[in-house]
Every structure is written in C-alpha cells, then in structure tokens.
Amino acid sequence: MDGPNPPTFPTLSELEAVAATKVRPRVWGYIAGGAGDERTARSNERAFRQWVIRPRVLIDVSEVDLRTRLLGQRVAAPIFVAPMAYHGEVHPDGEAGVARACAEQSLLAVYSTLSSAPMEEIARVGPSGPRWFQLYVQPEFEANRRLIERAERAGFQALVVTVDVPVLAVRDRQEQGGFAIDATVPIGNGPGVLPPRRGPTRGGSTFRLGEAPSPTWKTIDELRSITRLPVVLKGILSREDARLAVTHGAAGIIVSNHGGRQLDGAPATLEVLPEIVEEAGSSLEVCVDGGVRRASDVLVALALGAHAVGIGRPVLWALAVDGERGVRRYLEMLTLETASALALAGRRTVGEVDSSLVAHREWM
Amino acid sequence: MDGPNPPTFPTLSELEAVAATKVRPRVWGYIAGGAGDERTARSNERAFRQWVIRPRVLIDVSEVDLRTRLLGQRVAAPIFVAPMAYHGEVHPDGEAGVARACAEQSLLAVYSTLSSAPMEEIARVGPSGPRWFQLYVQPEFEANRRLIERAERAGFQALVVTVDVPVLAVRDRQEQGGFAIDATVPIGNGPGVLPPRRGPTRGGSTFRLGEAPSPTWKTIDELRSITRLPVVLKGILSREDARLAVTHGAAGIIVSNHGGRQLDGAPATLEVLPEIVEEAGSSLEVCVDGGVRRASDVLVALALGAHAVGIGRPVLWALAVDGERGVRRYLEMLTLETASALALAGRRTVGEVDSSLVAHREWM
Amino acid sequence: MDGPNPPTFPTLSELEAVAATKVRPRVWGYIAGGAGDERTARSNERAFRQWVIRPRVLIDVSEVDLRTRLLGQRVAAPIFVAPMAYHGEVHPDGEAGVARACAEQSLLAVYSTLSSAPMEEIARVGPSGPRWFQLYVQPEFEANRRLIERAERAGFQALVVTVDVPVLAVRDRQEQGGFAIDATVPIGNGPGVLPPRRGPTRGGSTFRLGEAPSPTWKTIDELRSITRLPVVLKGILSREDARLAVTHGAAGIIVSNHGGRQLDGAPATLEVLPEIVEEAGSSLEVCVDGGVRRASDVLVALALGAHAVGIGRPVLWALAVDGERGVRRYLEMLTLETASALALAGRRTVGEVDSSLVAHREWM
Amino acid sequence: MDGPNPPTFPTLSELEAVAATKVRPRVWGYIAGGAGDERTARSNERAFRQWVIRPRVLIDVSEVDLRTRLLGQRVAAPIFVAPMAYHGEVHPDGEAGVARACAEQSLLAVYSTLSSAPMEEIARVGPSGPRWFQLYVQPEFEANRRLIERAERAGFQALVVTVDVPVLAVRDRQEQGGFAIDATVPIGNGPGVLPPRRGPTRGGSTFRLGEAPSPTWKTIDELRSITRLPVVLKGILSREDARLAVTHGAAGIIVSNHGGRQLDGAPATLEVLPEIVEEAGSSLEVCVDGGVRRASDVLVALALGAHAVGIGRPVLWALAVDGERGVRRYLEMLTLETASALALAGRRTVGEVDSSLVAHREWM
C-alpha cells in the first residue's frame, strides 16, 4: 500500500512477462508450470480461441451492470479469484493483499487450505469480502472438521472441496525449479494441516497414494453432514460426475483441471463446460476456471453457461508485480474490460448473456 | 509530391515492415494494435486463407474491367479506403494526400469524423473523388446535424455511421505505446467534435459509458430523417443486425470489426460475410473490411457476396512510407494485382465473380 | 562432368538450403519465389501432409518395377521434370545437363519455350530421352507454328500448352530480387520468342493484358490442327476445365498452379487432383506438379489418380548444387527412394497403386 | 552401477535434450532421425494430442495396480521396452543395463536381432525379466532357425517378427550423421547375423531389394512351424493385415511404424490402432509403439484398446544420460507417473481403462 505506483502497470498482454521477472525462478516454476509436459495447461487458453463472440449493435449500453449472485451472494462481477496455495511465496502481501483488493471491489475470492496466511487473518483484513474456503480433504476426518469450523467462524460462505487431487501430479517445471509442496513451505492454517501427497509410492507390486483411502462421494456426504455451508465441488470434468454432484447435494461445481496442474491430458475446461452445464446447470451453479485471461474469455464462458469464472495465475502475476496494489489494479482492469466487452457485445447485464452470443469455429 | 521517388517502393509483402520504420513508435502502436490481445485482428487475415480461388482457363481475358458502382456511383474498382482517424499523425500529407491519390484513380475513400484535415479541405483537393463521410455519433444530436450538413455541402455522397463503438475498447498495444484517442490529438473537423469515450467508468455498482445513451436504431432513424445522403452502417457482424439494417432503411452495410480494434473475440469479418449477404444482400449493398491485403483477398470477398472491400492499415502504411505518392503507388499496385488476379481466375469483369469462384477448406 | 564429386551431396532434406547458397540472390528470388505472398506456393507442399500412406506388409517386394507409360511412351518411373524457364541462369550446364541426366535414366523431361538452350541442342545431347515441349502461346499464331514444327523435327513427343499464364502474376520475391522475365534474359529458342506479358497495363478505364486476345479453347483447337503431337494442357485446376479438355481433344492434363507462381490463392494441386481425375481420368492422362518433394508425395499423387508427377524447383536446386551431375544424383535419389517406398508400402509396381493406398486426415 | 548419482536426473520433459549432449552426433543422428523428412516420426507424438482423458473423481484410488499380463505372462505395468538395435553404441551398459533395469522392475523388454550384446548375455544378467526376441528375418532360412533356437534356449518367451523392413528406408538425418547400418557395427548375436538391406539397387530396368524374396505370410507360417514360442508381428498398420495376422496364427500384433524410421508418410500408430483393435483385438493381443512419451500417452493407448505400449527412443535417451541407472530411473519415473495418472483419471487398475476414458478432438 505504501510506495509510489510503478510508472506504468503492464497491460494484460504484458502481465505474465513482467511478473516472471519479479519472482524467484523456483517460485516461478511453481506458479507457471503444469503437470507433465503441460498439454492441458496450454489447451485451457487455446480452447477459448475456438469461440467467437457475435456482437449486436445499436443497443443502448450506456449503463452496464456486471453484478450477479453466486450461491445467493451478491458480487460485483461474475469473476472470482480461484483458490491457489502459498500467496506469500509470491509477495509479502500474500492472501491479505488479495483479500483487501477483492473486498474493496466486492469480488469473490476462494482461499486455499494451503494459504500462507491463516484464514482468520484473511477474514479480518477483508471482512466484507465474499469469501469461500477451499478444502484439501485431510486424511484424518477430524482435521477436516476443525478446518471447516474455523472457516464457518471466520465468515467464509461456502466450502469448496477440491476433488482432483487424490495425489499431486508430476509437474516437470515445478520440479526443475526445485519447488516442493511439502512441510518446508509454511502453511498459514497451522502445522496440523497437510498438503496433498506428492505421488504414489511402490507398495509391493502395487502403488499406494496414501495410508487412508482417498476422498470419495461418501466423503462429500460426510462433509455436508458437518457443515451448514453450501458445498462446491472443484475439479469435475465430466457429465457423469456432474450428475453425481447433483445427487450428492452439491450446491455448485467449479469445472476445473487445476490449471493443467493435475492430470495432464485432461480436457480444457471450456471443452467440457457445455456437457456439465447441460447435465447439471439447472440443479446447481456451474463455474469454470482455467485459461481465463481476457474479457472475451469471461463472456465466452458465461455464454456457454458458466455462472462465473475463476482467475488463477493472473492474480499471482499481479501480486508479484505490485502486491496488493497490483491485484487491485488487475481486478479493476479485468472488470472494466469485461464491462466494456459486454457493452461492445450489445449486452447490458450478465443476465442478457446466453448461447446466442457465441459461435464455434474449428481454427485459430 | 516533391522529392525523388524512393529507389524501390516496397512490394505488398514488405510494406508493413517498411512502414514500421517510418513512424514514431507511439503512432505505430496506434496503427498496428488491436483490441485486447488481438485475436480478432489476427483472425481477419487468417480467415482469407480458408478459401481458395478456383481459376478457369482459356478464356479471353486480354481486357479486364474492374469498374463497379457503389450506391449508384461509378468507381474504378471494388476497392475503397476504409475510414481511419488521424492520417496527419502518420504523414504530413494526411487525408489530403489520400484524397488526391484516390480522386486521381477514381477510387472511393471514406473519411473519418476524426480526420486530421477538415472535411472541406479533403473535398477541395480531390473534388472529383468519390467520398463518403464516416460519422462517430456525437452525444449531442445537434452536433451530428452540423457535421452532416457540412458533409453534404462538401459533396460527400454517403453517410457511414459507425455502430461498433459505444465505447472505445481496451487496446493494449496502443496503450503500451502511449497513444490516447482524446482531446490532445487535433481533430480537423473542429474543436466541437468529440472522439468516442475511452471506456466505462464505475458509477456506483454499475458502469457508465457516457452521460447520454449510446446510439440505437432510433438514432439511425433520426439521422436518416435529417439527411438526403444514403446511410451505410459500419460494424455489423450478425445476420440479426443485417435484418434490422434493412428494416431501418440503410442503403448499405460495411461488415467490419473495426480492424480488430473494438470487441476482441469478435469474428473475422469474412466469417460472417456470407450470413449477412444471405440475409440482406438483395436489399442493400454489403461491403467488408478487415484483413484485406492482396488481390486474392479482394476476389474471395467479392465471391462471397461483397460489393467492395475496404482497405485500412495498408493505406496508412503506404502513407507512412511515402506520403501521397506512396498511397498512389499502393493503390495502383493493389488495383493492378486485382486486375491480374481476375484475369488469372478467368474472369473479365467484377460481375463475373460469383460463389463458383471459391471453395472452402479447413486448413492453412 | 569434370571435377571431383562434392564430398557429400546433400540429402533431399538439405537440398534446398544448400542450393540457396549456390546461386545469386537475384536468381534465387526467381526460383524460390511464388506469386503474391506465396499462399498457394506454401499450400502445395502442405496438402501432401493431409494424406497418409497405408502400407501392406509381408508381400514379396524383392523386385520393384517403377516403369510406366506416358502417352504411350515407356519411362523408367512416373516422375518427370516439369517445364521451367532459364536453366542456364542456375548453372552453365543448363537444360543440356538436365537432358543428359534424364536421358540416361529414361525419365521424361518437359522443356520450356523459355529454355536457355535451343530445343535442338536439348534434343541432340539426349537423343534417347523422352521429351515434351512446353509452349507459351505466342501472340502471333505463325510463331506458334514455327516453334511446334521445330519441336516435331527435334523429336519432342508431345506439346504441353501452358494455360495459366494469360499474364505473368505479381511475384513479390522475384521482384525484390530484381529478376525480370523479359528481353534481357536470353532465350535459347531464339530472339523471336516472346515471354508472357508482365502484367496488365491501364488502358483508359479498363486494363489490357496484351494487344492480341489471350489464348482460348479455340487456340487449343487451332494448335491441335497444326501438329501431329498429342496436346497436353498444363495449368488446369477445376473439374469444369478438365471436362473441356476432354471435349477439345487434349491427350493429357498437368494439374498445376505453376508452382504457386501464378494465381496466388489458387488451390494446392493435390486438393483438386481428385476432382479432375474423377472428371477426366478415364478419357485422358492426368499428371500433377507442385510441392512434390519426396517418395511419399509421389505415392500419394499416384494413389489419387495421377499418371505421373512433375518435379520443379528441386531439379533446379540439384542443378545449382552440382550441375548435370547434381541432377543425375538427385533423380537417382528420388527414384530409389520411390522404389523403396513402393516396396515398404507393399506394392511391386506402379499399377498396384490405387486409392486404397492412402487415407485422408485433417491435421499436420 | 558405480559412481555417484547425477545431481539431478532430468525430468521427462528434459530427457531428450540432455541425452542429445551425451552421445556422439553420429549416433544421435541414428537414434533421433526418422525416414525421409520425418513426417511420420513427428506425427506419432502429435496423434496423442488429439485425444483427451476424461477423468472421473471421488473414487478411492489410494491403491493403484498397474499389473497386467502379456501373452499370459505377468508384468508390472503395460509398458515395455520396444526393440532397438545397437544399445552399445549409446552407452557401454548396453542391453545388459536395460535388461537388469527391466528385470528388477518386472517390465517386459524386447531385444533386437541387432543387439550389441549377445542374447545369451542379456538373458544371464536379467534371468527373471520378461523378455521377447525380435527377429529380422534372415535371407537364409536356417539362420532364422538358429536364432530362434538360441532365443528359446535363452528363455525368451515370444518371437517378435518385424514385418516392416523388406528394405531399410532412406533416413536423411542418419545419413547426414554418417551412421550406417551395416557390417561395420558389431552385432552381439554373431557375425552370421545380417542387418536388413540398405535400400534397393537398380537391376536393369527394375529395382532389386535383395537376392532372396522378402518375407511373406508364408514366411510367418514357416517360422511358426519351427518354434514353440508365440509369434508377434511388429509393424502392422492396417485392418487388412491385422485380419491376416489372425488367420496366420499370430499371438499378437505390435502396431508400429518403426518409430517413423521406415515408410515416411505412414500413419501415426495411434491413428490406426482403433481399426486394428476392432479387427483383431478379440483374437490376439494388440500392442502399440511410436510417440509414447508420458503417462497420458499410455492411458490413451490403453483406452483405445492396446494391451501395452512400447517405449523406444526415451529408453535410449535414459541409457545415454546415465546407463543402466538412467534406464532404471526412467522406467521408475514413467511407471510412477502412469500410476499417478491412472489414479487421477479415477481408475485403480488397467482393467478399468476402456474407451469411456478418452474423447477425440480435432485441434492441438
């Protein structure tokens, strides 16, 4: 918050490149890298290029309203900060900076189990901010209960259960940089919190991913039974699992491939969004993250049925470039560009966006 | 007009690169850049690669006639200079240079509300030249009336109303270069003329794009009621709006995405040309701009139903390279290449070009 | 023929790059360049990547026979040297070198009206070689008669009439290099022979491509009436013109876009080969040139119905690298690779190649 | 086995680049190169990008079992080392190193007729390891009998007959490097063993690939008649030949294009896997090699019906980087990544992988 503004904050096109110069290579490898050789990570952005926005003209768009509701809660725009671990590694402002920037702009942020700051501090610095708590299911069930109770007390309004990390994937770039998700990185939510396991180990002639069973739909039922918070499942990529999410009482789905950091080879999130919306969109709220970079991406995702889009890496880029101030600036830029794009598309509100806004194409 | 010819004027392939060395970076960022990360700008050129021209042979093409009529007016070729602001920033010859070159070659040019030269001067230097006046709708209606009356008096023969700029889009490259479309750039048509607004501003919990409502179809009706000039709508990209254009009495449509400078993510103009021609092509004249670089692009657009194609950036490149003389040379090169390509395609006149000339393909 | 072998003649992959270092830039611009910005030139090679060869195995291919007949004449392989002008600009061995190399290997070569060497000399150095004469139709009909009579006397066995050059296209790369197809380049067939006209010129409000009418189907009839040689039409790219070729008594068609040097935007030759074979393949012999680089290209073209493939630029590359010896080496390499590929595909003769050999795909 | 571990073994993404620095250019040209200009070699990897893996979530994948049976034999994972010649050129550890690493991990390896080490030594150092013997059919039938008898005695459990090398293809990169597959490279299986012939030679007006007929289906029958080992045909790329393989009593097929080293222009193996599985998958075991680089490739191939995948070049890269220890490390990395990917895909065993795991897409 102190210190002069950087002479020129980068444009959205330049943000990643500038951020790469601001963080240690080890952390950059962690932020930037995906699983395997990053096919899924790359595909996330590319998938958006296969849709064009069909603008309508000569409609009075002098006033544009981006507000929407997410699980009943009013937010300033259908854009939220996706859950990401260890903001403190990127900039000392960490999650507190993100929380202040989001609260100020009435934007939802989802905070990770593995936040650098304790969830109570996050809640304190941005008390008015819409905030959801992301849970990495802990092997010991009581540990989940303790985290959820803290989240409820701290005013988090939903529980986002990550379902695509029964084990951490092999991430070449992260490994090349030397970053390890393990006990050596401080976790704000306390020493009792465990990051996901790093990979299978041989156990005789089979492979073991952990001592305890990995989370199942039964786990979801159990989590629902111990919290009054709506449960959102993050990491669903198929019509079949969307149906099960409805059956098991989820309030929402975040269509996500973990930013291409888990199963390399998984589809781009935009590729499967339509089938998930078709299957479950009338029963629960479907959001999407992965590869959202510009206003046009926001509009395409909304047109394909998403309630809102999650932003991942760009928020860390902004944090890297100028801390809390960078995040504030970034969110403002993306929101304004979205308002502008909505107007240019001939729509005045998020509610006016439907599938007639977009058309598919094969190339780009 | 004075000074020796440059030893070798660049070929069309080289023109852009040479031009980039001739203008200040700030102006180059303005000319070259598009909206967002320029997906639409790039797609304009690429869309042409998806069509091939099926030449017929052994037809006597020893005489080729490119002449056509646009809104009843005879022009030497179905090629016109698209409206672009601030020619004077590119070269001191400015719009006057363009006007002289076009008049000499009987080619239509469309001049911007934001021309560096006053429209009266443009008319004076090229009195015989076909010329249309492009209108950025002014917030105060009387300002529109004054501009239109001046255009009528100065002999402009049509009114081209830009409909895709309720607000200026975010243009990263322009911003990086530091060019701003605002009061600091002199506007030849007078201090009372306002450029479009630069983007939404927050207004409480919504966004405002201006004090006045943005232009609507009702505005088109009102403009038609105060002018005897035919009204052409520039910036239509959908079948639905083409239909409305017919309903509201437009004489023509220019299918345009503003050279990829407004809604990034909008379709390439060539992608939507067929649906617009299908919808409205029998009721009014459909032109297209965006990405037209070579004779083959001209032929493809005509084959898909365009009456004529607008050329944007290349005219500024030519102006940058050698002022009026550069524009003259450029227009001559493009026209001759088009005559040559028409002959090589086995057609003698523009009227012989129809959809049998082209075939679609998926790759390139 | 004298001097030591170069230590290592390049592989086919390297040939172009090595050749580029051997000729003057001015000539390289002429050889390498295509029309416009070379879309068609590029597409020729790419089109072959869209077909895969489905090999059959465990067939006795210990003896492979590439021989075939072209217009009744026995040749060693379904591969011929396409007509190209001015070999002497590339290497002093010129057409004579090509003629000796081809005759030695019983391969057909087609020699250009614009050969650096007189056709009589070509015939003398390779008397046994299958050879066809390519005609650029001369504006004065008697000039055609004289050329044809000379070709007949010199033992050329077919007349290849080029039909895609009513005018020379704009070729940027050639122009940048400064090469001009005009009277300054010596033409072996004599001072009375005219190269095609360089482009349209303005003639009042239209464009003229020449004083005389450009060649038509009537010209083909007239040429047929004055020669006993079979007439092959080179430059046909459409089903419609293939049908007319049959009607007008052509003995063959060379599907060609002039190596991408005439109408930029024309289809890749492989794209239209199937429709032309379908239309005319049972009535006359269809060959193809453009982008053939490797044995796999030869097989794909044959599988799609071509009787033989013409090789253009690579022959000049080989000529540039090592004169006649280079051409001999190149033709040997390509022929051996084709024999090898045929065997690897499980075919023993050219006659065993049919459409079951290939499958289409969309990517590469 | 001695000496310190390299400080960091490369990730799978880096392996090729590191390996390229470890072997002589001549050998690298041999390992890395493919036939012709390597279209098929490139396509092998790209073909995998056209399939996405549709993960299922919230399934207990805490224990993952990769074991499967190949021709009745238990292996630790559906991954085997594809047959490759001359390991000793890459690293002194050679085939013995590979054999020890594979035996230790209960992974199948297929050893080449042209192994640097004698097959008896390979068997001795890894007695417990599943191992198959690859046969290049020798021109003299008795030579085949001798090789097969040795293989049987040495405990090899299947005979893999390569069917796609009636002649060695032209391989530009190998030739540029100067590597020749001929008598100058020592063959561990003895001086009487002949490598495949290097290419056709002219024999009068046809081409000869060898004195003896090349292998045919009759050869397969004869080989089957002299061995009790199951016969696997490697190099089949068509539905038609898959059917013949069944007819002729083959126990398995390895769908292979020889790593793109034989017929350039042949399909990517993944492109034809489905048609071969459809034709023969219920009658014999179908494996595939070519372009398998990551766990996601393994899963895609299994989902399309492969029993197992063969790994070629990467094993040599690992051998080049750190000999036997490198191979061990590599196989461990690939196996663990596959276990991880299987879990992330929501599958616990190889048997749970079916076509519902994947979806096709056109781009990437």
Side-chain angles (χ1 to χ4, degrees), chain A residues 239 242-243 272-283 286 304-305:
Chain A
R239 168 195 300 276
R243 195 180 310 138
V272 294
L273 176 62
E275 77 181 55
I276 291 171
V277 166
E278 190 185 65
E279 185 69 40
S282 60
S283 308
V286 178
L304 294 180

Side-chain angles (χ1 to χ4, degrees), chain D residues 67 251 331 335:
Chain D
R67 285 174 299 176
L331 292 172
T335 311

